Amino acid sequence: SEVMKLLVEALPSAPKSKGDVLEVLIDHEIVTQSRWERINSAEVAKGEPLGKPRVKAVDKQELLRLGGL
């Protein structure tokens, strides 16, 4: 269709960055599946005494701490 042709023509000829994905990850904490499971378990354990399925942690530092980071 004409719309698709216009969209393709508008694409840049080269990618914006040819950098490595590691450049994006440097200085960032990675929450792996096992770390997410630790966070999940802690939230569920906190909710049990209150009769709730969980109590969500919303503070970034608290989430990282619960995940063992």
Side-chain angles (χ1 to χ4, degrees), residues 6-67:
L6 290 172
L7 289 172
V8 171
E9 289 172 3
L11 291 173
S13 60
K16 290 182 182 179
S17 172
K18 294 182 182 180
D20 191 314
V21 70
L22 293 177
E23 293 174 11
V24 176
L25 300 177
I26 293 173
D27 297 327
H28 289 85
E29 300 292 346
I30 306 299
V31 178
T32 60
Q33 179 69 29
S34 62
R35 289 177 174 167
W36 176 85
E37 288 170 0
R38 289 176 66 174
I39 294 168
N40 184 58
S41 294
E43 290 177 342
V44 169
K46 194 171 182 179
E48 284 178 354
L50 303 173
K52 296 181 176 185
R54 71 177 59 252
V55 173
K56 292 290 295 172
V58 295
D59 178 71
K60 179 182 176 182
Q61 293 307 314
E62 176 68 4
L63 286 165
L64 293 175
R65 186 188 68 74
L66 292 173

